[in-house]
Amino acid sequence: MPPVAVMFTFSVPADKIDDAIGILGEISAAMKAEEPAVLMHVSHQRADKPGSFAFYELYPDETAFKAHGKGPIMKAAGRRLNALMEQPGKGFILSPVTGVGLPTSARP
């Protein structure tokens, strides 16, 4: 099976930025604990637009991707992050084609 990647963007009000960063940290920790197959999870905040975030996830295959978000910690953190968003975030499912620094198992 080919690797599966996810890109997700969202924004929060200025007074909720620190809360969002804290929850993103919890999500990273939860993914490490509850989703051992995940290859990469990186959260970013736009340098030119505080409160606008994006994160990238990489899974070795569709099975690992489908397991995403099923654990209790992830579910709770996801709900709290969604509650901070100014509007629903936008997600994209991607198929890696090339890159630098991709884990060996994710290279096409």
Side-chain angles (χ1 to χ4, degrees):
M1 280 194 257
V4 176
V6 176
M7 176 67 75
F8 189 80
T9 62
F10 66 95
S11 61
V12 301
D15 64 333
K16 301 296 181 188
I17 292 173
D18 289 340
D19 294 335
I21 292 170
I23 294 169
L24 288 169
E26 291 175 31
I27 287 173
S28 291
M31 289 181 78
K32 186 174 182 181
E34 297 177 345
E35 301 178 24
V38 69
L39 299 173
M40 187 180 299
H41 173 82
V42 183
S43 298
H44 307 270
Q45 181 175 200
R46 283 183 53 173
D48 65 334
K49 192 172 179 186
S52 292
F53 293 88
F55 60 79
Y56 176 82
E57 300 168 348
L58 183 62
Y59 302 89
D61 54 38
E62 191 169 337
T63 301
F65 169 64
K66 286 182 176 180
H68 173 59
K70 305 274 191 239
I73 300 169
M74 274 296 295
K75 284 182 180 179
R79 281 193 298 269
R80 290 183 16 251
L81 185 61
N82 286 337
L84 296 180
M85 293 180 193
E86 295 179 311
Q87 58 190 7
K90 294 183 181 181
F92 308 91
I93 306 298
L94 307 166
S95 295
V97 293
T98 187
V100 174
L102 287 174
T104 304
S105 60
R107 293 184 185 142

XYZ file of all heavy atoms in Angstrom:
804
model
N 0.841 -1.190 0.000
C 0.000 0.000 0.000
C 0.882 1.248 0.000
O 1.892 1.285 0.701
C -0.880 0.030 1.242
C -2.106 -0.831 1.167
S -3.261 -0.426 2.494
C -2.932 -1.796 3.591
N 0.473 2.279 -0.717
C 1.253 3.518 -0.729
C 1.051 4.320 0.563
O 0.054 4.159 1.259
C 0.689 4.277 -1.930
C -0.697 3.765 -2.082
C -0.657 2.325 -1.629
N 1.991 5.201 0.882
C 1.844 6.052 2.060
C 0.698 7.049 1.873
O 0.289 7.341 0.753
C 3.175 6.769 2.165
C 3.787 6.669 0.818
C 3.237 5.441 0.176
N 0.179 7.534 2.993
C -0.902 8.523 2.985
C -0.438 9.713 3.811
O 0.081 9.555 4.915
C -2.200 7.948 3.602
C -3.284 9.001 3.673
C -2.668 6.724 2.832
N -0.633 10.910 3.268
C -0.282 12.139 3.982
C -1.533 12.991 4.143
O -2.481 12.883 3.358
C 0.778 12.911 3.216
N -1.522 13.815 5.164
C -2.632 14.722 5.443
C -2.065 16.110 5.687
O -1.076 16.264 6.409
C -3.423 14.275 6.696
C -4.512 15.278 7.044
C -3.998 12.888 6.506
N -2.698 17.113 5.100
C -2.388 18.514 5.394
C -3.693 19.119 5.899
O -4.752 18.921 5.281
C -1.904 19.249 4.148
C -1.652 20.734 4.364
S -0.281 21.092 5.469
C 1.095 20.717 4.422
N -3.625 19.825 7.011
C -4.825 20.420 7.603
C -4.505 21.850 8.000
O -3.455 22.104 8.609
C -5.251 19.613 8.831
C -6.581 20.005 9.393
C -7.759 19.555 8.816
C -6.663 20.838 10.500
C -8.996 19.915 9.328
C -7.893 21.206 11.029
C -9.065 20.740 10.438
N -5.373 22.786 7.643
C -5.178 24.193 8.000
C -6.378 24.699 8.797
O -7.504 24.260 8.579
C -4.990 25.068 6.746
O -6.168 24.990 5.941
C -3.781 24.610 5.942
N -6.103 25.617 9.703
C -7.177 26.200 10.511
C -6.672 27.491 11.145
O -5.468 27.754 11.158
C -7.662 25.223 11.590
C -6.638 24.918 12.649
C -6.620 25.618 13.845
C -5.683 23.938 12.452
C -5.676 25.346 14.824
C -4.734 23.653 13.415
C -4.735 24.362 14.605
N -7.590 28.257 11.686
C -7.201 29.475 12.398
C -8.000 29.595 13.685
O -9.099 29.058 13.810
C -7.400 30.716 11.523
O -8.753 30.848 11.161
N -7.388 30.291 14.644
C -8.019 30.549 15.930
C -7.912 32.039 16.229
O -7.024 32.721 15.706
C -7.366 29.724 17.079
C -7.455 28.235 16.797
C -5.932 30.142 17.324
N -8.783 32.563 17.078
C -8.672 33.978 17.466
C -7.350 34.228 18.207
O -6.770 33.319 18.806
C -9.857 34.186 18.422
C -10.773 33.034 18.195
C -9.931 31.907 17.698
N -6.896 35.468 18.174
C -5.613 35.844 18.779
C -5.514 35.440 20.253
O -4.457 35.008 20.710
C -5.370 37.343 18.625
N -6.619 35.541 20.978
C -6.571 35.207 22.401
C -6.582 33.703 22.666
O -6.505 33.280 23.818
C -7.708 35.892 23.159
C -9.089 35.424 22.742
O -9.270 34.983 21.586
O -10.011 35.504 23.579
N -6.638 32.891 21.630
C -6.652 31.432 21.770
C -5.405 30.766 21.191
O -5.307 29.544 21.159
C -7.897 30.836 21.090
C -9.211 31.342 21.646
C -9.390 30.926 23.085
C -10.725 31.409 23.629
N -10.840 31.191 25.058
N -4.434 31.575 20.729
C -3.234 31.017 20.101
C -2.475 30.103 21.062
O -2.114 28.976 20.706
C -2.321 32.139 19.563
C -3.000 32.831 18.379
C -0.948 31.580 19.172
C -2.268 34.071 17.881
N -2.222 30.552 22.275
C -1.475 29.735 23.232
C -2.219 28.441 23.547
O -1.600 27.377 23.686
C -1.176 30.507 24.512
C -0.140 31.599 24.309
O 0.622 31.538 23.321
O -0.095 32.522 25.145
N -3.545 28.527 23.659
C -4.347 27.322 23.901
C -4.192 26.340 22.745
O -4.022 25.136 22.953
C -5.828 27.671 24.070
C -6.113 28.499 25.308
O -5.324 28.434 26.277
O -7.132 29.211 25.315
N -4.257 26.854 21.513
C -4.122 25.986 20.336
C -2.747 25.320 20.309
O -2.644 24.109 20.048
C -4.355 26.788 19.056
N -1.694 26.075 20.594
C -0.343 25.508 20.596
C -0.234 24.410 21.660
O 0.354 23.351 21.413
C 0.710 26.609 20.801
C 0.746 27.516 19.554
C 2.084 26.008 21.091
C 1.577 28.776 19.717
N -0.822 24.638 22.814
C -0.811 23.618 23.860
C -1.528 22.345 23.430
O -1.037 21.228 23.650
N -2.689 22.499 22.796
C -3.439 21.330 22.336
C -2.690 20.616 21.219
O -2.672 19.376 21.168
C -4.863 21.732 21.902
C -5.662 22.230 23.112
C -5.585 20.555 21.235
C -6.981 22.897 22.762
N -2.050 21.351 20.323
C -1.257 20.711 19.274
C -0.139 19.866 19.882
O 0.174 18.778 19.385
C -0.701 21.752 18.305
C -1.731 22.391 17.381
C -1.130 23.597 16.663
C -2.286 21.376 16.386
N 0.454 20.350 20.957
C 1.464 19.557 21.662
C 0.871 18.283 22.243
O 1.481 17.210 22.176
N -0.341 18.392 22.797
C -1.021 17.210 23.324
C -1.320 16.216 22.199
O -1.207 15.000 22.388
C -2.331 17.609 24.001
C -2.158 18.391 25.280
C -3.490 18.863 25.830
O -4.516 18.173 25.626
O -3.522 19.944 26.460
N -1.708 16.738 21.044
C -2.004 15.863 19.906
C -0.745 15.132 19.466
O -0.780 13.921 19.210
C -2.644 16.673 18.761
C -4.085 17.048 19.135
C -2.597 15.901 17.442
C -4.768 17.993 18.174
N 0.380 15.823 19.408
C 1.635 15.154 19.046
C 1.964 14.034 20.034
O 2.337 12.928 19.635
C 2.790 16.157 18.997
O 2.634 17.041 17.917
N 1.818 14.322 21.316
C 2.092 13.307 22.335
C 1.115 12.140 22.231
O 1.504 10.973 22.368
C 2.038 13.938 23.726
N -0.154 12.448 21.977
C -1.159 11.394 21.848
C -0.887 10.523 20.630
O -1.043 9.296 20.687
C -2.558 12.004 21.756
N -0.473 11.144 19.538
C -0.165 10.354 18.351
C 0.999 9.408 18.629
O 0.981 8.252 18.214
C 0.123 11.259 17.155
C -1.132 11.956 16.657
S -0.831 13.006 15.238
C -0.755 11.771 13.941
N 1.986 9.885 19.353
C 3.131 9.040 19.684
C 2.686 7.862 20.548
O 3.137 6.733 20.357
C 4.201 9.866 20.399
C 5.475 9.112 20.661
C 6.535 10.022 21.235
C 7.830 9.259 21.446
N 8.875 10.096 22.011
N 1.781 8.114 21.493
C 1.325 7.069 22.413
C 0.279 6.144 21.794
O 0.309 4.933 22.031
C 0.745 7.718 23.675
N -0.642 6.709 21.047
C -1.801 5.933 20.574
C -1.705 5.477 19.125
O -2.468 4.616 18.701
C -3.081 6.764 20.736
C -3.396 7.113 22.162
C -4.621 8.002 22.304
O -5.082 8.595 21.320
O -5.117 8.103 23.444
N -0.796 6.051 18.360
C -0.696 5.731 16.940
C 0.770 5.460 16.575
O 1.408 6.256 15.895
C -1.262 6.881 16.100
C -2.709 7.186 16.421
C -3.269 8.355 15.620
O -2.748 8.666 14.530
O -4.237 8.952 16.091
N 1.303 4.335 17.026
C 2.728 4.075 16.824
C 3.148 3.969 15.355
O 4.334 4.131 15.046
C 2.962 2.751 17.562
C 1.621 2.123 17.666
C 0.636 3.249 17.739
N 2.214 3.759 14.456
C 2.575 3.629 13.041
C 2.797 4.982 12.362
O 3.391 5.031 11.291
C 1.498 2.851 12.287
N 2.326 6.087 12.966
C 2.486 7.389 12.316
C 3.975 7.662 12.102
O 4.800 7.425 12.970
C 1.804 8.526 13.106
C 2.502 8.805 14.418
C 1.720 9.790 12.278
N 4.305 8.126 10.917
C 5.703 8.403 10.582
C 6.087 9.840 10.890
O 7.242 10.126 11.202
C 5.946 8.134 9.087
C 5.702 6.702 8.631
C 5.797 6.609 7.120
C 6.695 5.763 9.302
N 5.106 10.757 10.780
C 5.423 12.169 10.962
C 4.154 12.936 11.339
O 3.084 12.672 10.808
C 5.994 12.728 9.657
C 6.521 14.139 9.744
S 7.194 14.728 8.160
C 8.519 13.560 7.880
N 4.321 13.853 12.266
C 3.266 14.819 12.595
C 3.982 16.111 12.953
O 4.732 16.156 13.928
C 2.405 14.347 13.767
C 1.441 15.397 14.222
N 0.238 15.610 13.603
C 1.526 16.319 15.192
C -0.384 16.615 14.203
N 0.382 17.065 15.169
N 3.785 17.132 12.148
C 4.455 18.413 12.369
C 3.419 19.523 12.303
O 2.678 19.626 11.325
C 5.554 18.665 11.304
C 6.285 19.965 11.588
C 6.520 17.504 11.228
N 3.356 20.335 13.343
C 2.444 21.479 13.381
C 3.229 22.758 13.119
O 4.371 22.902 13.570
C 1.769 21.587 14.746
O 0.990 20.440 15.008
N 2.591 23.683 12.409
C 3.223 24.955 12.061
C 2.247 26.094 12.324
O 1.039 25.927 12.171
C 3.568 25.017 10.567
C 4.376 23.876 10.079
N 5.756 23.892 10.088
C 4.011 22.683 9.556
C 6.206 22.750 9.585
N 5.174 21.996 9.252
N 2.796 27.264 12.663
C 2.012 28.497 12.719
C 2.592 29.448 11.669
O 3.824 29.579 11.566
C 2.067 29.148 14.100
C 1.235 30.409 14.180
C 1.170 31.007 15.577
O 0.284 31.775 15.846
N 2.076 30.680 16.467
N 1.737 30.067 10.910
C 2.224 31.000 9.887
C 2.962 32.159 10.539
O 2.466 32.789 11.459
C 1.060 31.536 9.052
C 0.564 30.533 8.041
C -0.527 31.066 7.176
N -0.188 32.335 6.532
C -0.958 32.911 5.625
N -2.097 32.353 5.259
N -0.611 34.066 5.085
N 4.155 32.447 10.045
C 4.964 33.540 10.576
C 4.331 34.897 10.277
O 4.474 35.835 11.054
C 6.380 33.486 9.998
N 3.624 34.985 9.149
C 3.037 36.261 8.740
C 1.592 36.437 9.190
O 0.995 37.485 8.945
C 3.108 36.405 7.212
C 2.248 35.375 6.481
O 1.989 34.275 7.047
O 1.828 35.654 5.351
N 1.037 35.425 9.853
C -0.367 35.503 10.247
C -0.596 34.682 11.517
O -1.090 33.565 11.467
C -1.260 35.003 9.108
C -2.716 35.304 9.294
C -3.500 34.944 8.037
C -4.967 35.238 8.255
N -5.773 34.775 7.130
N -0.218 35.240 12.678
C -0.406 34.511 13.928
C -1.861 34.058 14.092
O -2.792 34.776 13.741
C -0.025 35.541 15.002
C 0.917 36.470 14.295
C 0.387 36.551 12.880
N -2.003 32.848 14.591
C -3.332 32.268 14.764
C -3.739 31.380 13.600
O -4.736 30.675 13.677
N -2.956 31.409 12.522
C -3.206 30.526 11.370
C -2.210 29.371 11.445
O -1.002 29.583 11.483
C -3.024 31.280 10.051
O -4.040 32.241 9.910
N -2.731 28.175 11.467
C -1.927 26.979 11.674
C -2.088 26.001 10.523
O -3.096 26.009 9.802
C -2.361 26.267 12.963
C -2.068 27.032 14.212
C -2.981 27.942 14.713
C -0.879 26.845 14.895
C -2.725 28.655 15.876
C -0.607 27.553 16.055
C -1.535 28.454 16.545
N -1.121 25.124 10.401
C -1.189 23.995 9.481
C -0.451 22.841 10.140
O 0.506 23.050 10.878
C -0.542 24.322 8.143
N -0.945 21.643 9.909
C -0.151 20.498 10.310
C -0.132 19.469 9.203
O -0.996 19.422 8.343
C -0.536 19.894 11.667
C -1.934 19.383 11.811
C -2.308 18.154 11.292
C -2.869 20.119 12.523
C -3.597 17.674 11.458
C -4.155 19.644 12.700
C -4.518 18.413 12.166
N 0.942 18.686 9.229
C 1.202 17.671 8.218
C 1.389 16.345 8.940
O 2.091 16.287 9.952
C 2.467 18.034 7.443
C 2.892 17.004 6.430
C 2.303 16.955 5.174
C 3.887 16.073 6.727
C 2.699 16.013 4.238
C 4.286 15.133 5.788
C 3.680 15.109 4.557
O 4.060 14.175 3.626
N 0.731 15.322 8.439
C 0.865 13.983 8.997
C 1.235 13.026 7.874
O 0.786 13.189 6.741
C -0.445 13.524 9.627
C -0.912 14.421 10.739
C -2.331 14.149 11.185
O -3.075 13.408 10.505
O -2.705 14.700 12.233
N 2.012 12.020 8.214
C 2.417 11.020 7.233
C 2.255 9.637 7.845
O 2.739 9.382 8.951
C 3.871 11.251 6.816
C 4.434 10.330 5.751
C 3.664 10.475 4.425
C 5.921 10.635 5.533
N 1.571 8.788 7.122
C 1.298 7.419 7.548
C 1.889 6.451 6.529
O 1.901 6.749 5.336
C -0.215 7.187 7.655
C -0.878 8.130 8.619
C -1.359 9.359 8.187
C -0.993 7.814 9.958
C -1.953 10.249 9.081
C -1.587 8.690 10.858
C -2.058 9.901 10.411
O -2.633 10.783 11.287
N 2.332 5.285 6.974
C 2.947 4.351 6.036
C 1.956 3.736 5.051
O 2.344 3.308 3.972
C 3.556 3.277 6.939
C 2.741 3.328 8.183
C 2.349 4.776 8.334
N 0.677 3.724 5.437
C -0.332 3.106 4.566
C -1.727 3.526 5.024
O -1.897 4.209 6.038
C -0.198 1.578 4.566
C -0.225 0.973 5.964
O -0.994 1.451 6.832
O 0.528 0.022 6.209
N -2.727 3.097 4.281
C -4.108 3.472 4.579
C -4.596 2.878 5.896
O -5.385 3.498 6.612
C -5.025 3.045 3.432
C -6.413 3.641 3.554
C -7.257 3.455 2.310
O -6.705 3.266 1.224
O -8.494 3.502 2.453
N -4.119 1.712 6.243
C -4.518 1.087 7.504
C -4.115 1.974 8.685
O -4.912 2.218 9.592
C -3.893 -0.318 7.643
O -4.337 -1.117 6.545
C -4.295 -0.973 8.950
N -2.885 2.452 8.668
C -2.413 3.339 9.740
C -3.196 4.646 9.739
O -3.548 5.173 10.799
C -0.920 3.603 9.587
N -3.490 5.170 8.557
C -4.262 6.411 8.463
C -5.665 6.221 9.045
O -6.157 7.067 9.784
C -4.346 6.874 7.014
C -5.326 7.986 6.791
C -5.130 9.228 7.371
C -6.442 7.789 6.009
C -6.037 10.259 7.178
C -7.355 8.816 5.812
C -7.148 10.051 6.401
N -6.305 5.111 8.740
C -7.669 4.865 9.240
C -7.705 4.702 10.756
O -8.728 4.939 11.378
C -8.268 3.651 8.554
C -8.663 3.930 7.118
C -9.309 2.730 6.471
C -9.769 3.083 5.068
N -10.415 1.952 4.394
N -6.590 4.320 11.357
C -6.519 4.188 12.813
C -6.387 5.542 13.501
O -6.594 5.664 14.706
C -5.341 3.296 13.198
N -6.069 6.573 12.715
C -5.831 7.911 13.262
C -7.065 8.462 13.982
O -8.180 8.376 13.493
C -5.443 8.861 12.137
C -5.336 10.282 12.559
N -4.470 10.702 13.545
C -5.984 11.394 12.142
C -4.603 12.007 13.702
N -5.507 12.444 12.866
N -6.820 9.015 15.157
C -7.872 9.706 15.898
C -8.824 8.823 16.666
O -9.792 9.301 17.230
N -8.561 7.542 16.738
C -9.475 6.615 17.408
C -9.218 6.516 18.909
O -10.086 6.101 19.657
C -9.374 5.226 16.782
C -9.598 5.188 15.291
C -11.043 5.077 14.950
C -11.203 4.770 13.468
N -11.960 5.740 12.758
N -8.027 6.877 19.359
C -7.689 6.767 20.777
C -8.378 7.833 21.618
O -8.738 8.906 21.124
N -8.562 7.577 22.889
C -9.288 8.510 23.758
C -8.606 9.867 23.929
O -9.282 10.900 23.990
C -9.398 7.768 25.093
C -8.322 6.744 25.062
C -8.133 6.380 23.614
N -7.275 9.887 23.991
C -6.567 11.162 24.162
C -6.730 12.003 22.897
O -7.022 13.199 22.962
C -5.077 10.934 24.480
C -4.921 10.127 25.769
C -4.339 12.264 24.599
C -3.504 9.636 26.020
N -6.544 11.371 21.746
C -6.696 12.091 20.472
C -8.110 12.626 20.301
O -8.296 13.760 19.860
C -6.359 11.165 19.292
C -4.904 11.126 18.940
S -4.277 12.715 18.357
C -5.196 12.909 16.861
N -9.100 11.826 20.621
C -10.490 12.272 20.475
C -10.750 13.517 21.319
O -11.329 14.487 20.847
C -11.461 11.156 20.864
C -11.600 10.079 19.829
C -12.616 9.046 20.293
C -12.779 7.947 19.275
N -13.738 6.927 19.710
N -10.314 13.479 22.573
C -10.552 14.603 23.483
C -9.801 15.853 23.018
O -10.367 16.953 22.991
C -10.141 14.224 24.901
N -8.534 15.694 22.646
C -7.749 16.850 22.208
C -8.312 17.419 20.907
O -8.380 18.639 20.735
C -6.280 16.451 22.028
N -8.716 16.556 20.000
C -9.315 17.008 18.739
C -10.574 17.822 18.962
O -10.773 18.862 18.327
N -11.420 17.369 19.871
C -12.652 18.123 20.182
C -12.321 19.501 20.743
O -12.924 20.503 20.375
C -13.522 17.340 21.169
C -14.326 16.229 20.549
C -15.392 15.688 21.500
N -14.817 15.104 22.702
C -14.483 13.815 22.826
N -14.652 12.989 21.822
N -13.962 13.376 23.946
N -11.332 19.555 21.634
C -10.959 20.848 22.233
C -10.358 21.785 21.195
O -10.630 22.981 21.203
C -10.000 20.619 23.397
C -10.726 19.976 24.577
C -9.925 19.748 25.853
N -8.688 20.451 25.995
C -7.473 19.876 25.929
N -7.351 18.586 25.709
N -6.391 20.596 26.102
N -9.546 21.241 20.282
C -8.973 22.081 19.232
C -10.071 22.589 18.296
O -10.102 23.766 17.951
C -7.909 21.311 18.447
C -7.150 22.117 17.399
C -6.382 23.269 18.045
C -6.204 21.217 16.623
N -10.974 21.719 17.894
C -12.082 22.134 17.019
C -12.902 23.254 17.648
O -13.360 24.164 16.947
C -12.990 20.947 16.689
C -12.368 19.996 15.691
O -11.491 20.379 14.920
N -12.795 18.757 15.705
N -13.077 23.212 18.961
C -13.867 24.238 19.651
C -13.204 25.611 19.596
O -13.893 26.633 19.705
C -14.109 23.822 21.107
N -11.887 25.665 19.407
C -11.174 26.940 19.337
C -11.219 27.573 17.946
O -11.007 28.773 17.806
C -9.700 26.758 19.704
C -9.353 26.298 21.114
C -7.844 26.184 21.256
C -9.918 27.244 22.155
N -11.464 26.767 16.934
C -11.361 27.240 15.550
C -12.421 28.284 15.229
O -13.569 28.165 15.638
C -11.494 26.067 14.575
C -10.347 25.107 14.651
S -10.570 23.747 13.484
C -9.310 22.634 14.070
N -11.991 29.300 14.466
C -12.901 30.357 14.049
C -13.949 29.837 13.078
O -15.065 30.335 13.032
C -12.118 31.510 13.418
C -11.217 32.196 14.423
C -10.406 33.323 13.824
O -9.774 33.120 12.769
O -10.414 34.406 14.426
N -13.567 28.873 12.283
C -14.469 28.195 11.348
C -13.879 26.809 11.131
O -12.735 26.565 11.491
C -14.589 28.954 10.038
C -13.271 29.170 9.332
C -13.413 30.129 8.168
O -14.440 30.732 7.953
N -12.359 30.262 7.392
N -14.635 25.892 10.557
C -14.069 24.551 10.361
C -12.778 24.608 9.551
O -12.654 25.387 8.599
C -15.166 23.816 9.579
C -16.433 24.534 9.939
C -16.031 25.975 10.120
N -11.810 23.803 9.963
C -10.545 23.733 9.241
C -10.722 23.026 7.903
O -11.776 22.460 7.616
N -9.665 23.072 7.101
C -9.685 22.424 5.790
C -8.593 21.364 5.755
O -7.432 21.649 6.055
C -9.456 23.438 4.672
C -10.581 24.433 4.560
C -10.374 25.370 3.408
C -11.539 26.360 3.379
N -11.429 27.290 2.279
N -8.982 20.156 5.387
C -8.035 19.057 5.314
C -7.910 18.524 3.907
O -8.857 18.616 3.112
N -6.751 18.003 3.611
C -6.457 17.434 2.305
C -5.736 16.113 2.498
O -4.806 16.036 3.299
C -5.549 18.372 1.493
C -6.066 19.778 1.409
C -5.697 20.723 2.360
C -6.930 20.159 0.404
C -6.177 22.030 2.304
C -7.415 21.459 0.335
C -7.038 22.392 1.287
N -6.143 15.094 1.759
C -5.433 13.820 1.733
C -4.456 13.890 0.562
O -4.834 14.259 -0.550
C -6.399 12.633 1.537
C -7.521 12.665 2.587
C -5.641 11.311 1.555
C -7.058 12.529 4.001
N -3.208 13.542 0.820
C -2.156 13.665 -0.181
C -1.436 12.331 -0.387
O -1.440 11.481 0.499
C -1.126 14.702 0.284
C -1.676 16.074 0.672
C -0.621 16.866 1.433
C -2.125 16.819 -0.552
N -0.823 12.190 -1.540
C 0.038 11.046 -1.830
C 1.443 11.575 -2.095
O 1.655 12.284 -3.086
C -0.455 10.289 -3.067
O -1.715 9.729 -2.825
N 2.401 11.282 -1.218
C 3.760 11.769 -1.436
C 4.316 11.269 -2.776
O 4.122 10.110 -3.147
C 4.553 11.176 -0.273
C 3.531 10.858 0.770
C 2.295 10.500 0.018
N 4.990 12.159 -3.491
C 5.600 11.768 -4.758
C 7.119 11.932 -4.741
O 7.821 11.190 -5.408
C 4.987 12.524 -5.966
C 3.548 12.106 -6.174
C 5.098 14.020 -5.812
N 7.627 12.910 -4.001
C 9.062 13.093 -3.870
C 9.323 14.039 -2.710
O 8.408 14.712 -2.239
C 9.691 13.648 -5.176
O 11.109 13.660 -5.047
C 9.181 15.034 -5.492
N 10.534 14.092 -2.245
C 10.860 15.008 -1.173
C 12.191 14.692 -0.549
O 12.800 13.662 -0.826
N 12.625 15.557 0.333
C 13.849 15.388 1.085
C 13.436 15.097 2.521
O 12.553 15.748 3.064
C 14.715 16.664 1.025
C 15.918 16.538 1.936
C 15.115 16.951 -0.402
N 14.049 14.127 3.137
C 13.774 13.835 4.529
C 12.591 12.925 4.770
O 12.195 12.713 5.895
N 12.000 12.377 3.701
C 10.908 11.436 3.890
C 11.431 10.150 4.511
O 12.484 9.655 4.104
C 10.231 11.092 2.556
C 9.358 12.158 1.918
C 8.906 11.686 0.528
C 8.153 12.459 2.770
N 10.721 9.605 5.489
C 11.136 8.290 6.015
C 11.188 7.282 4.870
O 10.392 7.351 3.932
C 10.027 7.952 7.011
C 9.412 9.263 7.368
C 9.542 10.129 6.143
N 12.109 6.371 4.954
C 12.289 5.383 3.901
C 10.979 4.685 3.530
O 10.692 4.474 2.363
C 13.335 4.329 4.322
O 14.535 5.004 4.662
C 13.594 3.341 3.223
N 10.165 4.363 4.532
C 8.918 3.649 4.254
C 7.899 4.502 3.531
O 6.904 3.998 3.037
C 8.312 3.129 5.559
O 8.052 4.209 6.424
N 8.121 5.812 3.428
C 7.161 6.692 2.767
C 7.595 7.068 1.358
O 6.864 7.730 0.644
C 6.954 7.958 3.587
N 8.777 6.648 0.973
C 9.264 7.020 -0.358
C 8.566 6.175 -1.417
O 8.481 4.967 -1.273
C 10.767 6.846 -0.450
C 11.490 7.825 0.437
C 12.987 7.724 0.294
N 13.589 8.610 1.261
C 14.690 8.330 1.920
N 15.333 7.205 1.709
N 15.171 9.185 2.805
N 8.081 6.830 -2.468
C 7.422 6.069 -3.536
C 8.392 5.188 -4.295
O 9.564 5.340 -4.263
C 6.853 7.154 -4.459
C 7.266 8.464 -3.917
C 8.064 8.237 -2.674
